[in-house]
Amino acid sequence: MKLEIGNFYVKDVIFGEKTAYANGTLTINKEEALAVVREDEHITEADIIITKPGDKVRIVPVKEAIEPRHRVGGGPVFPGVTGDLMQSGDGQTLALKNCSVLVVGKHWGGFQDGLIDMSGEGAKYTLFSQLQNICLVADTDEDFEKREQQKKNRALRWAGMRLAEYIGSCVAELQPEEVETYELAPITKRSEEVQALPSVALVLQPQSQMEEMGYNDLVYGWDCNHMVPTFMHPNEVLDGAMISGSFMPCSSKWSTYDFQNYPMIKRLYQEHGKTINFLGVIMSNLNVALEQKERAAQFVAQMAKSLGADAAVVAEEGYGNPDADFIACIVALENAGVKTIGLTNECTGRDGASQPLVTLDEKANAIVSCGNVSELIELPPMETVIGELQALARDGLSGGWSDDEILGSSVREDGSIIMENNAMFCGDRVAGWSTKTMVEY
């Protein structure tokens, strides 16, 4: 499979008469864009607000992020989700870089939603403060889940994907400024030189714990809770096969933007044929019952061994209960003779003194930490709030609270906030990029 991603580098986003891209400026016809959003009758209120790095803006509750794209030759950007099923990862896709469509709740937030500051102290905690963000701020008539801690956010998430496709279509007839090419020969057809290098598989564990449908990550529109570990071409992940779900403490979340740009996949591609033989992606899942976790780990280990993997990188979307899947997978791979590195964040408590993962094993001796979800963050008021700041305290966001006997409410009367890192939108970037650095004292 050969995937070409043609990039257009966005330097500015403005509203105008026609949705178009020229000389680094993305222009959006706001009314046309909102018409695409309102195709779903469940959308009751909607607005689009542009935010830029350095703006004195706080955005909350953020539900999803998507890179605007267009599939050359026709077909949906997200097969099986925004259109018919088709193979992704082969052909050409056009991408508007340095920008994202952010899906933001106008009122109601929940456990899986987060916060982004576009400037100030808070901006350092998430990559999205560095992007030109097209904020879809909307509400729906999905009253059954408005006051629920867990929200499927279906109408809002799908509206964000439609909007990203609409914006991406403006470059359909243009020549990209740069083309990234991703190609791997079939495993059994590679040159002797490549075959002689250490073989590495990437094991991804997307969020799939909810047994009720509608919350989990999707693969070609299929709920990952119904999936057993599956071998996938890395191009499929980069090209719209994977969609973020709506169940995950937010700093640990893999947004759809993360899947589209998955840094660890790109890094392994960079080393392919030089220092490693990149075999591909084993897409696993996260389960609830212990037997399910053990079964998935066995599948992963068998698959890696059968593919001839000498080493593996395992990344989990989340922490807590998923730690059991994460560690079981690493142990099973090590037992199969596959040297394994893990990527995860930690939950070590506000003082940093607690056990970092729910379960541990001596064989999990090469773990890359992406941060502590429980770290306390205090931020001053921001001039403008997009969405509703009170959602951070009122609606059970994973890092916010309505009251604490010592700290009070996450949202103070002057608009300043105190929260756990948990609520920083995709702040820990377990996908392989991070604004953080670990220092040993």
Side-chain angles (χ1 to χ4, degrees):
M1 294 175 70
K2 181 180 180 180
L3 172 65
E4 293 182 338
I5 300 180
N7 294 328
F8 299 83
Y9 289 92
V10 176
K11 299 175 182 176
D12 195 15
V13 182
I14 60 174
F15 291 120
E17 294 184 2
K18 181 180 179 181
T19 298
Y21 174 85
N23 301 319
T25 298
L26 172 62
T27 303
I28 300 173
N29 181 311
K30 189 173 183 178
E31 290 308 310
E32 282 187 5
L34 285 172
V36 171
V37 169
R38 294 186 180 118
E39 289 174 5
D40 188 337
E41 62 183 10
H42 291 291
I43 304 288
T44 56
E45 300 178 72
D47 194 11
I48 296 173
I49 301 172
I50 297 168
T51 64
K52 304 175 183 182
D55 286 352
K56 295 179 180 179
V57 169
R58 178 164 290 153
I59 313 169
V60 64
V62 184
K63 300 173 179 294
E64 168 68 300
I66 308 144
E67 184 172 79
R69 289 190 175 185
H70 174 75
R71 189 176 299 280
V72 176
V77 173
F78 305 108
V81 180
T82 56
D84 293 340
L85 272 172
M86 61 176 290
Q87 182 74 63
S88 74
D90 197 28
Q92 188 176 37
T93 293
L94 303 178
L96 288 160
K97 310 303 289 187
N98 299 333
C99 71
S100 77
V101 171
L102 290 182
V103 180
V104 185
K106 191 175 181 67
H107 300 297
W108 301 100
F111 176 75
Q112 63 289 315
D113 301 335
L115 178 144
I116 297 170
D117 273 2
M118 295 302 295
S119 64
E121 174 70 11
K124 72 183 183 183
Y125 287 97
T126 173
L127 175 79
F128 289 97
S129 65
Q130 303 169 30
L131 303 181
Q132 306 275 337
N133 290 312
I134 302 148
C135 300
L136 169 60
V137 188
D139 200 7
T140 76
D141 64 1
E142 295 167 312
D143 293 330
F144 70 94
E145 64 175 23
K146 274 186 177 178
R147 292 171 177 81
E148 295 293 323
Q149 187 186 49
Q150 305 294 350
K151 294 174 174 60
K152 297 179 183 179
N153 289 323
R154 190 191 191 283
L156 295 178
R157 290 161 57 213
W158 262 245
M161 285 185 279
R162 292 196 305 276
L163 179 58
E165 288 187 332
Y166 163 76
I167 293 171
S169 68
C170 77
V171 296
E173 304 302 322
L174 303 180
Q175 291 299 312
E177 297 159 19
E178 178 194 52
V179 176
E180 300 175 40
T181 301
Y182 298 97
E183 184 175 15
L184 288 177
I187 290 175
T188 59
K189 306 293 184 182
R190 297 179 184 177
S191 68
E192 291 183 5
E193 292 78 11
V194 171
Q195 295 278 24
L197 296 170
S199 295
V200 180
L202 175 61
V203 181
L204 300 183
Q205 295 177 312
Q207 183 53 233
S208 51
Q209 288 180 287
M210 295 294 279
E211 294 181 349
E212 181 180 340
M213 300 298 95
Y215 296 96
N216 298 312
D217 292 1
L218 302 177
V219 52
Y220 285 109
W222 185 253
D223 193 298
C224 289
N225 182 265
H226 290 168
M227 181 182 71
V228 294
T230 301
F231 183 67
M232 292 181 67
H233 197 289
N235 291 4
E236 295 178 279
V237 181
L238 297 176
D239 196 32
M242 298 298 300
I243 298 299
S244 176
S246 192
F247 171 71
M248 178 41 47
C250 206
S251 71
S252 309
K253 187 183 185 76
W254 291 341
S255 68
T256 298
Y257 184 98
D258 287 297
F259 281 120
Q260 291 173 298
N261 294 279
Y262 212 93
M264 185 52 66
I265 290 177
K266 292 186 176 184
R267 188 72 179 92
L268 290 168
Y269 254 119
Q270 288 175 3
E271 294 301 317
H272 178 68
K274 299 175 184 176
T275 61
I276 64 167
N277 175 16
F278 181 24
L279 298 173
V281 174
I282 300 174
M283 191 66 67
S284 189
N285 49 4
L286 297 170
N287 304 280
V288 177
L290 183 59
E291 181 180 307
Q292 295 169 345
K293 297 174 187 291
E294 292 173 346
R295 182 182 297 113
Q298 290 176 10
F299 265 116
V300 169
Q302 176 277 128
M303 206 173 296
K305 194 67 175 177
S306 296
L307 290 168
D310 300 305
V313 178
V314 179
E316 67 167 329
E317 183 185 7
Y319 67 94
N321 188 292
D323 292 345
D325 304 75
F326 178 67
I327 294 298
C329 187
I330 291 173
V331 171
L333 285 164
E334 288 282 346
N335 286 341
V338 180
K339 296 181 183 297
T340 305
I341 294 172
L343 303 180
T344 183
N345 51 11
E346 306 172 53
C347 185
T348 58
R350 293 175 182 175
D351 60 359
S354 298
Q355 180 172 305
L357 301 177
V358 167
T359 182
L360 293 168
D361 191 281
E362 290 181 354
K363 293 181 179 178
N365 58 6
I367 303 292
V368 177
S369 171
C370 301
N372 174 21
V373 301
S374 303
E375 179 185 354
L376 281 176
I377 299 172
E378 291 191 67
L379 300 173
M382 195 65 76
E383 283 187 8
T384 302
V385 174
I386 294 176
E388 190 174 49
L389 183 59
Q390 193 57 39
L392 175 66
R394 182 193 63 211
D395 298 337
L397 272 67
S398 48
W401 54 86
S402 59
D403 191 31
D404 182 278
E405 60 182 17
I406 297 174
L407 301 174
S409 172
S410 279
V411 179
R412 296 161 174 158
E413 290 185 4
D414 65 353
S416 64
I417 61 174
I418 183 168
M419 66 180 202
E420 291 182 351
N421 175 65
N422 244 328
M424 193 61 68
F425 184 75
C426 296
D428 292 336
R429 309 318 290 259
V430 181
W433 48 15
S434 180
T435 58
K436 301 175 184 177
T437 299
M438 179 173 286
V439 178
E440 184 173 345
Y441 292 95

